[in-house]
């Protein structure tokens, strides 16, 4: 490489790094500014502190609940329902979506039914699940699993269907069929759509498990939020809301981390400093 080209590459690399640092700073600064504005508005009376408790008091209340163990009880209950429901729904959704994508008769048989069921609000089936299984953990977990199932199934099916026909023709020309066609062509081709479905369903699972705990549980973060509202304890309510947000971010971040491992080329953009790829 010529000196001029080396300089241009280094300049572009420095610009890229600066943009990354700027974006990270903005991501951290924005919520910090909002929290400071909230604190000032509550302390000066611009906001009713009885309804919008200052963040400093919310933090103090959250620390009390962490030290006392109360928050961990609710986090553990919600996390257990979320993990089990998410895993069950994701595995079932991937399997059914792959079957529907590979075998046209299965797609023709199940497609209309799943389309109708997907439009049904998943929280609306909670009373039916409670009638069948009673006030146990099963209805709460199944509510999450069913919500996740449809999102993942739809994305998995879309990933299979949208594979370019020319790729399939080339694979068959090289005598790829059966398991080999599925393993080396269909599954890799559908993986990006599957991971997109998992990202969407992760957030939906957090919403559903929280809503279910509002009405059908005596523990969990949803119960904590609803019970705090009924008792007019806004500090505790905000602790629950913030904790739910953190859990949602962690679950989504875990899916994104899996995506970076399985699909590294999606996150390999940006210039590299000279010598990095040698």
């Amino acid at each position: 490489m010529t000196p001029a080209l080396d300089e241009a590459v280094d300049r572009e690399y420095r610009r890229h790094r600066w943009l990354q640092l700027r974006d990270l700073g903005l991501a951290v600064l924005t919520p910090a500014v909002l929290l400071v504005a909230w604190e000032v508005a509550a302390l000066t009376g611009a906001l009713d502190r009885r309804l919008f408790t200052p963040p400093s008091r919310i933090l103090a209340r959250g620390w009390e609940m962490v030290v006392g163990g109360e928050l961990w009880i609710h986090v553990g209950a919600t996390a257990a329902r979320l993990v089990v429901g998410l895993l069950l729904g994701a595995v079932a959704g991937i399997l059914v979506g792959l079957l529907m994508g590979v075998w046209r008769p299965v797609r023709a048989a199940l497609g209309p039914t799943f389309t109708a069921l997907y439009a049904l609000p998943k929280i609306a089936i909670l009373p039916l699940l409670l009638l069948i299984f009673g006030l146990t953990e099963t209805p709460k977990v199944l509510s999450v699993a069913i919500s996740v199932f449809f999102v993942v199934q739809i994305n998995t099916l879309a990933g299979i269907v949208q594979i370019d026909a020319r790729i399939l023709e080339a694979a068959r020309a090289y005598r790829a069929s059966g398991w080999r066609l599925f393993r080396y062509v269909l599954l890799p081709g559908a993986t990006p759509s599957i991971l997109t479905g998992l990202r969407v369903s992760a957030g939906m699972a957090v919403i559903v498990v929280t809503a279910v705990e509002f009405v059908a549980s005596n523990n969990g973060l949803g119960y904590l939020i609803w019970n705090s509202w009924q008792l007019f304890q806004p500090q505790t309510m905000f602790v629950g809301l913030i904790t739910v947000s953190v859990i949602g971010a962690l679950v989504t971040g875990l899916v994104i981390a899996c995506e970076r491992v399985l699909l590294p080329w999606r996150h390999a953009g940006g210039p590299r400093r000279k010598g990095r790829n040698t």
Side-chain angles (χ1 to χ4, degrees):
M1 298 175 66
T2 64
L5 185 56
D6 287 344
E7 183 180 352
V9 171
D10 286 339
R11 184 168 57 250
E12 184 62 22
Y13 175 80
R14 289 193 298 269
R15 177 179 176 276
H16 179 68
R17 291 294 297 170
W18 156 248
L19 291 176
Q20 285 184 321
L21 292 174
R22 185 201 64 182
D23 292 344
L24 178 61
L26 290 173
V28 174
L29 185 62
T30 299
V33 169
L34 291 176
L35 288 174
V36 171
W38 180 1
E39 180 80 20
V40 173
L43 294 178
T44 58
L47 290 176
D48 189 346
R49 69 179 63 185
R50 294 173 299 177
L51 302 178
F52 299 96
T53 306
S56 57
R57 296 188 181 180
I58 296 173
L59 180 62
R61 175 56 181 156
W63 179 250
E64 291 177 1
M65 296 177 68
V66 168
V67 174
E70 178 184 358
L71 186 60
W72 296 115
I73 295 174
H74 296 294
V75 169
T78 297
R81 295 164 186 149
L82 181 63
V83 170
V84 175
L86 188 58
L87 289 176
L88 289 176
V91 171
I94 292 172
L95 292 178
V96 174
L98 290 175
L99 288 174
M100 293 177 68
V102 172
W103 284 296
R104 184 170 178 173
V106 177
R107 182 162 69 249
L110 299 180
T113 301
F114 282 177
T115 300
L117 292 177
Y118 177 70
L120 180 69
K122 306 309 176 289
I123 193 66
I125 66 174
L126 178 61
L128 175 62
L129 295 175
L130 290 172
L131 285 175
I132 297 173
F133 298 103
L135 293 172
T136 62
E137 290 296 309
T138 303
K140 306 161 194 173
V141 172
L142 285 180
S143 296
V144 177
I146 292 171
S147 303
V148 172
F149 168 81
F150 284 104
V151 176
V152 176
Q153 177 266 321
I154 290 172
N155 280 270
T156 303
L157 174 59
I160 293 288
V161 172
Q162 71 184 5
I163 296 176
D164 196 330
R166 291 171 295 183
I167 296 177
L168 297 177
E169 291 177 4
R172 293 190 178 99
Y174 284 96
R175 298 181 180 179
S177 60
W179 169 251
R180 287 169 59 86
L181 179 65
F182 175 79
R183 169 66 179 82
Y184 294 105
V185 179
L186 297 180
L187 184 58
T191 298
S193 294
I194 293 174
L195 291 172
T196 299
L198 289 175
R199 288 183 64 174
V200 175
S201 63
M204 180 178 292
V206 175
I207 295 172
V208 171
V209 73
T210 305
V212 167
E213 290 174 346
F214 278 174
V215 296
S217 182
N218 58 3
N219 58 17
L221 293 171
Y223 167 80
L224 176 67
I225 295 169
W226 189 258
N227 188 60
S228 301
W229 173 79
Q230 289 180 316
L231 299 177
F232 197 73
Q233 298 175 343
Q235 294 181 15
T236 305
M237 183 183 69
F238 278 116
V239 170
L241 290 171
I242 293 171
T243 306
V244 168
S245 300
V246 171
I247 289 178
L250 290 175
V251 174
T252 303
L254 180 60
V255 176
I256 294 175
C258 294
E259 182 179 346
R260 288 180 178 272
V261 173
L262 297 175
L263 306 174
W265 59 88
R266 277 194 168 186
H267 306 276
R272 296 185 178 182
R273 189 184 291 274
K274 178 186 174 183
R276 286 291 180 89
N277 55 357
T278 60

